[in-house]
Amino acid sequence: MPASVLEQIYELSDDHDLPLAARGESGAMRHRLRAHHRLQEPETEVDRASDEEVIAMFLACRSARDRLIMLLLSRVGLRPGQVAGLRRRDPHLLLNSRSLGCHVAGAHVHVVRRQNENNAWSKSKKSWVMPVDFLVVKAFDQYALERHERLGSDGSDFLLVNLFRRPLGAPVSVDAIGELCESLSRRAGLGRRVGPRMCRHAMASNVVDAGGKLDEVQMLLGHKHPESARPYLHPAATRLREAVNRVPSPRELGGEGPR
């Protein structure tokens, strides 16, 4: 790049203002480039999927596997990469899983970051346990029967695999989960595309609308910091109305009582 262009983009400076420890072992003066401008890319706002949209998509599913995927997205709140990366050993659906070497009580799913052959991975660096309710447990059971009917007892260690297109038994990809949501949105006649992230936002919002706290949402979503959970919260209109109605009127504050 010509120097005349380079100097418009970068500020050329030396390292004389840096501490000695940061100047390198050779002691020779070095030059470095510092950008004149820094572009802040605005975050794209993601709307939540409404409960009506999630139900319509669930009813539009044509297999137990697709119903399980929808619940993992919208009721458990997993990211597509976390859903596609689940292994068969990750769900513990018994009330007591000590026989499996797990001391977590109740039905739950272990979310683990791994290198997977389908390029699915968990964005969160840490592993955590996600509690699941009876609806998700029932969906797991129905999918297990469907998978056994299609593939038998053998097959991939991945939980979610191809059952209706080749290669049969191959792990479901992240792109396939996005395509499923797009197809379900269209099949349910929603008028817009409800993606996996919108389902995750719906799960977080429903937890808060049901009385959950920010720290609970943080742990359920696998976030490191509590503030990371705030963009996922979309209060229901009824909850906002109730919040306004709880504020006493001036007449009540003045001792006149409500009218």
Side-chain angles (χ1 to χ4, degrees):
M1 183 181 296
S4 60
V5 176
L6 196 64
E7 65 184 9
Q8 298 298 320
I9 304 175
Y10 295 101
E11 175 186 345
L12 181 63
S13 59
D14 55 38
D15 62 357
H16 72 277
D17 59 329
L18 296 178
L20 290 176
R23 295 186 187 180
E25 298 179 357
S26 65
M29 187 176 70
R30 300 171 183 269
H31 290 84
R32 69 185 194 275
L33 297 174
R34 181 171 58 187
H36 278 303
H37 310 284
R38 295 184 182 274
L39 178 63
Q40 297 293 333
E41 182 179 357
E43 293 188 4
T44 303
E45 292 188 6
V46 178
D47 190 15
R48 62 158 291 177
S50 68
D51 292 339
E52 293 76 14
E53 288 173 329
V54 171
I55 292 173
M57 293 172 67
F58 183 83
L59 294 177
C61 292
R62 295 173 177 171
S63 68
R65 184 203 61 185
D66 293 351
R67 289 192 291 270
L68 176 58
I69 291 176
M70 272 302 302
L71 288 178
L72 290 173
L73 294 173
S74 62
R75 196 164 183 87
V76 183
L78 298 184
R79 292 186 171 95
Q82 294 165 344
V83 172
L86 287 174
R87 302 299 180 92
R88 299 171 76 175
R89 60 182 176 273
D90 292 337
H92 292 168
L93 307 179
L94 303 175
L95 294 178
N96 187 324
S97 299
R98 292 181 181 273
S99 61
L100 303 175
C102 177
H103 297 279
V104 179
H108 60 275
V109 174
H110 290 267
V111 183
V112 183
R113 190 178 192 179
R114 304 183 180 96
Q115 291 288 341
N116 295 311
E117 64 183 72
N118 60 347
N119 296 321
W121 61 290
S122 173
K123 185 177 179 180
S124 177
K125 295 182 180 179
K126 69 173 185 178
S127 301
W128 81 96
V129 173
M130 185 65 194
V132 298
D133 64 6
F134 74 99
L135 289 176
V136 180
V137 172
K138 186 175 181 180
F140 269 111
D141 290 342
Q142 292 178 346
Y143 168 64
L145 292 174
E146 181 180 73
R147 173 171 171 157
H148 183 75
E149 291 175 356
R150 303 286 299 185
L151 302 178
S153 58
D154 297 329
S156 170
D157 182 51
F158 282 84
L159 176 67
L160 297 163
V161 296
N162 292 340
L163 299 180
F164 310 102
R165 64 181 181 184
R166 298 189 181 278
L168 293 177
V172 167
S173 67
V174 176
D175 290 341
I177 293 178
E179 293 170 1
L180 172 65
C181 288
E182 183 174 359
S183 175
L184 293 176
S185 301
R186 184 172 57 255
R187 200 181 303 159
L190 300 184
R192 67 168 182 167
R193 180 186 181 276
V194 174
R197 291 180 65 192
M198 297 169 67
C199 294
R200 180 172 164 87
H201 280 240
M203 175 270 179
S205 298
N206 283 335
V207 168
V208 175
D209 287 340
K213 306 300 182 184
L214 185 61
D215 60 338
E216 295 171 343
V217 177
Q218 171 203 350
M219 297 301 295
L220 291 174
L221 295 181
H223 287 153
K224 183 177 181 181
H225 302 290
E227 292 302 313
S228 299
R230 289 194 182 275
Y232 288 82
L233 306 183
H234 308 266
T238 54
R239 187 157 66 91
L240 296 178
R241 173 64 61 183
E242 291 170 357
V244 172
N245 291 337
R246 285 195 298 268
V247 179
S249 70
R251 291 181 181 275
E252 293 176 284
L253 294 175
E256 297 184 24
R259 291 188 180 179

